[in-house]
Amino acid sequence: MNQHSRSQAIPFIDVVVQRARLGVRIDAAMSRVLDHCQFINGPEVTELEADLAAFSGAKHVVACASGTDALLMVLMAKGIGRGDAVLCPSFTFCATGEAVALTGATPVFVDVEEGTFNMDVASLTRGIATARQLGLKPRAVIPVDLFGQAADHDAIAAVAEAEGLFVLDDAAQGFGASYKGRRLGTFGLATATSFFPAKPLGCFGDGGAILTDDAALAEILRSIRVHGQGSDKYDNVRLGLTARLDTLQAAILIEKLKIFEDEIAARDRVATRYANGLGNVVTVPRLATGRTSVWAQYTIRLPEGTDRDGFAAALRAQGVPTAIYYPKSLHQQTAYRDFPSADGGLAVSERLSTDVISLPMHAYLDEATQDRIIEAVRGAVST
Ligand SMILES: *Cc1c(COP(=O)(O)O)cnc(C)c1O
C-alpha cells in the first residue's frame, strides 16, 4: 500500500464506485425517461414493481416515495388511529415509531435482543399486555430487520397471531436478506422498504416500496399513494398522500437491482473479514441460525469502559470514519419519550445506545482498505 492511499480518508459508504460501475447504464436509463417525459407513473415504475416482486417472492409491490411513507401507508390502509397501539422496537431509526404516531395511534416500545439487535419476543408479549393495561387496543407489530439482519419472523408471527395483531415488517435496512431461506418481503401482512441512497438498495434520492401478498391491500395502497383516488382522478374515496416514486428513481433502481445480488455477496465477504479480524477485540455482530444480513450497517459493541468518543476520534485521526446508530433509543428521545414502553423496561436498548459504533460498510470496500480499518480498530481498542 502506498503512502497516498494510507493517508486518504475512507468513505463510510461509497456510492461513487458503484456509480462508476453502472455509470453508462444508469445514464441510458435516465435518458429514456427524459425522452418519454412520463416523470410520474411512467412505465419504469410498473417495471420496477414487477422486478421487486420477482426478486423477493412477494405477489404485489407498490413503489412509493420513501420508506417512511411505506410504513405510514400500510397503517393508514388498515385504519390504524387513535386508541390503537402498535408495538415496535425502541432501538431503531425514528421513522418506525414516527409512522405510528403520525396516524394518531400510540407506539408502544419493545426491547431488543442483545445478540441480533432485533425485537425481543418476550418483551413484545409484555408490551402487548402493557398496551391493554393502558386501555389501548393492540393492533399491529412492526419488527425491524435492523442493520440488515432479518428479525425472528416465525416467533413474532406466532405472538401476533395469538394476540390478533397484523405484522408490518420494517425492512428498510434488511431488504435482500432472508429468513429460513425465504427473502424478506413475504413475512407478515406487508413489508416496507426504503431506497434512500445509503440503504443497501438505494436510489439517487428518496424512494420506497411496500411488498404484500394481499391483493386487496395492494389496491388500497395504490389509492392512498395518489390522494386516496377512487375510480378516476377526481373521485377521492379515502384520505391519502402524495407518495409516488419518481419514474427517474424507478429507472435507476431497475439497473441497481440487477447487481444487488452480487453486491449482497460482496457485503457478506466484508462482514466475514471484519468478524475474523475483530472478533477477539470487540463484540462483532452475529447472525442467528437461519438468517442472513445485507449488512446495512456493520455495528460492533465496544468493551465495557471504552471511551466511545475517544475511540471514534482515534479512528478519525487515521482517516477511518465511524457512525453511531443509534446514540439514543426512541423512548429516550424528546419526540417519543411520552409514549409507553413495555413492562420490564428497555435495558438492552439503553445499553446498546451507549456501546455500539458502526464501521464503514459497502460492497466496494477493498481488502487493503478493510485491513487498514481493522488495524485502526485494534489499535484504538488496546489504547
Ligand atoms: C431508513 C429507515 C426508514 C425510513 O426510510 P426513508 O426512506 O428514509 O423514509 C424506516 N425504518 C428504518 C429502520 C430505516 O432505517
Side-chain angles (χ1 to χ4, degrees):
M1 193 188 315
N2 63 35
Q3 281 306 306
H4 180 67
S5 70
R6 180 162 282 279
S7 61
Q8 244 173 16
I10 298 166
F12 189 71
I13 289 174
D14 200 331
V15 286
V16 177
V17 191
Q18 188 206 48
R19 169 82 187 109
R21 173 180 177 182
L22 283 176
V24 286
R25 279 194 268 161
I26 290 196
D27 294 352
M30 290 177 78
S31 296
R32 284 193 293 275
V33 178
L34 296 178
D35 287 343
H36 68 53
C37 286
Q38 295 177 58
F39 301 123
I40 299 291
N41 283 339
E44 284 82 359
V45 175
T46 318
E47 187 183 333
L48 173 69
E49 289 176 340
D51 290 354
L52 290 168
F55 178 86
S56 63
K59 290 202 177 85
H60 308 277
V61 177
V62 180
C64 64
S66 71
T68 308
D69 279 349
L71 292 166
L72 180 60
M73 287 164 69
V74 174
L75 298 173
M76 287 171 73
K78 295 300 288 178
I80 297 296
R82 203 160 296 279
D84 293 335
V86 177
L87 290 293
C88 63
S90 184
F91 190 67
T92 178
F93 180 63
C94 66
T96 313
E98 185 181 37
V100 175
L102 283 171
T103 65
T106 303
V108 176
F109 297 119
V110 168
D111 212 1
V112 296
E113 303 170 331
E114 197 100 36
T116 64
F117 307 117
N118 280 329
M119 184 176 270
D120 177 331
V121 177
S123 179
L124 169 63
T125 303
R126 289 194 295 274
I128 294 168
T130 306
R132 291 210 173 98
Q133 277 152 24
L134 292 168
L136 298 166
K137 187 172 191 302
R139 297 267 325 265
V141 50
I142 309 185
V144 178
D145 307 295
L146 200 72
F147 303 145
Q149 178 173 187
D152 193 354
H153 287 288
D154 280 353
I156 290 162
V159 173
E161 200 181 313
E163 302 279 355
L165 316 187
F166 71 84
V167 177
L168 166 55
D169 183 21
D170 181 347
Q173 299 182 14
F175 185 68
S178 61
Y179 179 84
K180 298 187 181 173
R182 235 166 84 204
R183 277 243 162 87
L184 296 183
T186 56
F187 295 91
L189 172 72
T191 300
T193 194
S194 165
F195 303 125
F196 181 78
K199 308 286 180 182
L201 179 62
C203 58
F204 290 173
D206 281 306
I210 302 149
L211 301 91
T212 182
D213 283 350
D214 186 324
L217 176 67
E219 174 123 5
I220 296 171
L221 293 169
R222 290 182 197 284
S223 161
I224 290 176
R225 180 166 67 173
V226 199
H227 302 289
Q229 172 178 296
S231 54
D232 78 72
K233 209 169 171 176
Y234 299 105
D235 172 36
N236 302 94
V237 296
R238 56 174 65 80
L239 295 180
L241 303 165
T242 310
R244 294 167 295 238
L245 178 72
D246 289 347
T247 309
L248 270 171
Q249 299 300 348
I252 290 160
L253 283 163
I254 288 168
E255 297 307 316
K256 287 217 192 186
L257 187 58
K258 289 177 188 161
I259 60 162
F260 190 39
E261 192 99 54
D262 178 59
E263 291 185 332
I264 293 171
R267 283 170 175 276
D268 214 42
R269 283 194 295 276
V270 171
T272 302
R273 289 188 89 250
Y274 269 145
N276 291 339
L278 298 173
N280 61 350
V281 291
V282 296
T283 306
V284 294
R286 290 278 170 224
L287 296 179
T289 313
R291 300 188 228 175
T292 70
S293 177
V294 289
W295 306 104
Q297 302 297 342
Y298 192 84
T299 304
I300 59 171
R301 297 182 65 188
L302 298 176
E304 218 180 312
T306 308
D307 163 18
R308 185 168 59 180
D309 291 341
F311 174 86
L315 263 61
R316 198 179 320 119
Q318 297 188 56
V320 178
T322 56
I324 294 167
Y325 301 110
Y326 296 92
K328 279 182 181 176
S329 289
L330 293 190
H331 72 285
Q332 299 174 306
Q333 299 197 31
T334 309
Y336 299 98
R337 65 178 161 223
D338 294 333
F339 292 118
S341 292
D343 199 34
L346 308 176
V348 177
S349 298
E350 286 168 15
R351 194 152 59 241
L352 289 173
S353 325
T354 67
D355 69 13
V356 291
I357 189 160
S358 303
L359 303 178
M361 167 54 83
H362 57 84
Y364 305 96
L365 195 59
D366 61 65
E367 294 194 355
T369 308
Q370 210 189 352
D371 290 341
R372 210 181 119 193
I373 296 165
I374 291 170
E375 227 176 277
V377 170
R378 296 189 69 89
V381 170
S382 63
T383 53

